[in-house]
């Protein structure tokens, strides 16, 4: 029997991530990781749209990822989109165009869900212990805070004040 292979795409405001893992008897094992600086929020995020250039970079990157996914014989694809997609007027159209061009269903997630997934990612990578911890994820479009321990989330929040938003809003020159 061939082991099940799963691809996860994290379509963020600055970076698109691809992770392909293989399921075996002793758990999941990463077999491919790739990261592309798409800069989806550049020159548009504070105006509420994804620029034509960023839109094209997004389509090209997901198309490339689909080729890689097909090469590995992946049986399941999970694709999530974050801040730029959920806030841009043309974010929904980009999701539709990705589906049309790659046959990948992208789910645009709310900030609260993004914070929850960050918690589970950190928890999978390390033991948070019994003490209360603060997790902070600074993205291009949003910042997530999670107060938690290894057993549960006590509070989580997502704020649309990511790095690319701040650059677009406040940095007029180098």
């Amino acid at each position: 029997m061939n082991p099940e292979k799963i691809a996860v795409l994290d379509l963020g405001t600055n970076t698109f991530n691809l992770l392909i893992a293989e399921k075996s008897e002793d758990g999941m094992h990463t077999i491919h990781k790739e990261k592309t600086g798409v800069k989806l929020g550049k020159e548009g995020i504070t105006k509420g749209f994804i620029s034509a250039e960023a839109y094209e970079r997004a389509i090209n990157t997901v198309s490339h990822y689909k080729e890689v996914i097909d090469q590995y014989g992946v049986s399941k694809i999970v694709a999530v989109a974050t801040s730029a997609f959920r806030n841009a007027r043309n974010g929904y159209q980009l999701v539709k165009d990705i589906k049309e061009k790659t046959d990948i269903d992208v789910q645009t997630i709310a900030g609260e869900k993004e914070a929850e997934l960050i918690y589970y990612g950190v928890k999978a990578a390390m033991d948070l212990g019994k003490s209360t911890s603060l997790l902070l994820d600074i993205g291009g479009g949003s910042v997530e805070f999670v107060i938690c321990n290894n057993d549960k989330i006590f509070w989580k929040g997502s704020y649309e004040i990511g790095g690319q938003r701040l650059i677009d809003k406040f940095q007029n020159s180098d």
Side-chain angles (χ1 to χ4, degrees):
M1 181 176 100
N2 288 335
E4 181 181 14
K5 294 177 186 166
I6 300 169
V8 178
L9 286 81
D10 170 7
L11 308 180
T13 300
N14 279 331
T15 307
F16 284 14
N17 296 287
L18 168 64
L19 183 133
I20 300 174
E22 189 171 73
K23 193 175 189 178
S24 68
E25 292 173 9
D26 60 337
M28 300 294 287
H29 300 282
T30 300
I31 57 173
H32 182 86
K33 282 169 58 167
E34 195 166 333
K35 192 179 268 211
T36 305
V38 175
K39 298 181 182 176
L40 194 61
K42 188 175 182 184
E43 298 175 357
I45 194 166
T46 57
K47 298 174 189 124
F49 71 94
I50 297 166
S51 73
E53 296 83 9
Y55 202 100
E56 184 176 346
R57 288 191 300 269
I59 295 287
N60 290 341
T61 299
V62 177
S63 296
H64 165 70
Y65 285 176
K66 178 64 162 108
E67 290 173 8
V68 173
I69 287 166
D70 289 346
Q71 289 170 0
Y72 277 93
V74 168
S75 58
K76 181 179 180 179
I77 301 171
V78 176
V80 294
T82 60
S83 181
F85 282 86
R86 66 179 170 251
N87 295 134
R89 291 186 298 277
N90 56 345
Y92 177 73
Q93 185 61 49
L94 179 53
V95 167
K96 285 176 56 177
D97 288 346
I98 287 171
K99 172 67 174 171
E100 182 180 304
K101 290 182 177 24
T102 67
D103 201 34
I104 294 175
D105 289 308
V106 176
Q107 178 187 8
T108 302
I109 60 172
E112 296 287 313
K113 182 67 173 178
E114 187 175 356
E116 182 181 331
L117 292 174
I118 289 162
Y119 165 75
Y120 287 117
V122 171
K123 184 177 169 180
M126 62 184 290
D127 182 8
L128 292 168
K130 297 290 181 194
S131 299
T132 302
S133 297
L134 171 64
L135 307 181
L136 170 62
D137 180 82
I138 303 170
S142 62
V143 175
E144 283 69 43
F145 297 90
V146 182
I147 298 174
C148 59
N149 66 18
N150 205 58
D151 297 326
K152 67 179 183 174
I153 295 172
F154 300 107
W155 177 87
K156 61 187 177 199
S158 178
Y159 301 92
E160 302 297 329
I161 55 169
Q164 187 62 53
R165 285 184 197 280
L166 297 175
I167 288 168
D168 281 3
K169 191 163 186 148
F170 298 112
Q171 185 175 348
N172 298 325
S173 69
D174 269 346

